[in-house]
Amino acid sequence: MSGFTIDPWDPGYAAALAVENAAELGATSAELVLDIERPPAAWRPLTPAPGTALPGTLLVADGVRRVDARVWVHDPDTPMPVPGIAASYAAGIVRCGPEGAEPAEIEVCRTLISASPHTPEVKTPHATYHPSKAADASFEELSLALQRQVTQLEVDLAVRHRTKSDDLLLVDGPLRGRSHLPRTVGYIKTHHTAYLPPPQSAVVGELAPGQRTPVFLMGTSWRRHAWYVRLPVQSPAPWAGVARCEASAELEPAQVVQLADALTLALPPLAGVDYKDPRAPQNLVPIGGLEKLLRHHLGDARLLYRSLRTAAQGG
């Protein structure tokens, strides 16, 4: 008998958990330091300072993941099989410069994750799933273990492609796990929690396209600098077209302000358009294009599922 069994439950069910935003859930009492750039009472929409230079190159990093099958790992140390997931994930880098945007590199990986130390390597005619260990057998922990692998792959690709000191790296999603990278900003498209007090939150609603809020310091389970920016948008809704950006808590205020101004200048030309992308304008054109490319590189989910079932049966 093989070392694992495929669960017939649809692997897509309940797999839509936004794991990359797990650190945001329930964060209703964030530590806030509002006077990093301006006193709280003096908050107002800010336009990038005169003379702000666009980054020479903007690198955009993103990753995608997919659960190809739920599995049961047969562990000789326990009477019951241990649940796990067989997953595919990919990460890529897009290099944006004066000549346009082009993919710099894409890498695809497969993994079989469970809490069992006996998690096997699974070879199929179409892919090899390498074993990795989760802290426990809950689906949330399996998903977080998968997300950590995606994040590490993004970091590896980013380090490989940082060729100039003025490159600015934009990662899609919170900065957690990547705050040690130089000149790196996390980009959050959706908002699960209103972190700012009402007076400062009102400033977000007053932003015009191409403007940002003052920088502030935010701490939940981890600390980072943050600011909100508005992209070009037609809707009059108060938070339409608003994204949140994050930078390392270790940076000096002047460094964060410089990053915030440079990115506020760089983002509007990259904003998505609503007739092409329902997540526009926050889903930037390079991010949307990279996501589509990465999902294509994950391969045919049905084919991989069938090959996993065949491998589980010893075929």
Side-chain angles (χ1 to χ4, degrees), residues 291-307:
E291 284 178 346
K292 185 176 180 180
L293 196 58
L294 291 174
R295 294 191 189 285
H296 173 74
H297 277 75
L298 290 183
D300 188 314
R302 292 170 298 180
L303 180 66
L304 290 167
Y305 178 74
R306 288 196 298 268
S307 67

Side-chain angles (χ1 to χ4, degrees), residues 10 32 46 73 107 156 183 212 216 248 276:
D10 182 354
L32 292 174
L46 301 177
V73 174
E107 189 169 335
D156 293 344
R183 286 180 59 77
R212 64 173 178 86
F216 58 100
S248 171
K276 290 184 178 180

Side-chain angles (χ1 to χ4, degrees), residues 85-257:
I85 54 174
S88 297
Y89 62 96
I93 298 283
V94 173
R95 186 178 295 275
C96 305
E99 295 79 27
E102 61 178 6
E105 185 176 357
I106 287 174
E107 189 169 335
V108 179
C109 300
R110 321 278 181 185
T111 184
L112 186 67
I113 306 173
S114 87
S116 170
H118 303 283
T119 304
E121 178 180 77
V122 178
K123 294 184 177 181
T124 79
H126 307 289
T128 297
Y129 290 79
H130 300 283
S132 58
K133 196 171 184 302
D136 61 54
S138 67
F139 184 74
E140 289 75 14
E141 177 55 38
L142 296 173
S143 297
L144 287 169
L146 175 58
Q147 180 57 31
R148 284 191 285 270
Q149 293 187 41
V150 178
T151 298
Q152 186 57 53
L153 182 57
E154 290 180 23
V155 169
D156 293 344
L157 293 183
V159 169
R160 200 178 303 165
H161 287 273
R162 297 302 284 268
T163 58
K164 298 178 182 178
S165 61
D166 67 339
D167 283 354
L168 198 159
L169 174 63
L170 185 73
V171 296
D172 186 31
L175 193 60
R176 185 170 189 146
R178 297 167 283 200
S179 58
H180 62 287
L181 297 173
R183 286 180 59 77
T184 300
V185 175
Y187 179 76
I188 296 89
K189 301 186 288 284
T190 57
H191 311 287
H192 301 281
T193 303
Y195 292 102
L196 295 172
Q200 287 73 39
S201 185
V203 175
V204 179
E206 296 168 2
L207 295 175
Q211 290 186 319
R212 64 173 178 86
T213 65
V215 171
F216 58 100
L217 190 67
M218 180 168 69
T220 50
S221 57
W222 59 295
R223 301 175 81 241
R224 65 278 201 197
H225 286 100
W227 65 93
Y228 290 91
V229 59
R230 191 188 295 273
L231 301 173
V233 67
Q234 299 297 323
S235 171
W239 281 59
V242 171
R244 190 176 80 246
C245 298
E246 298 180 344
S248 171
E250 303 304 316
L251 295 176
E252 294 295 328
Q255 294 175 299
V256 184
V257 168

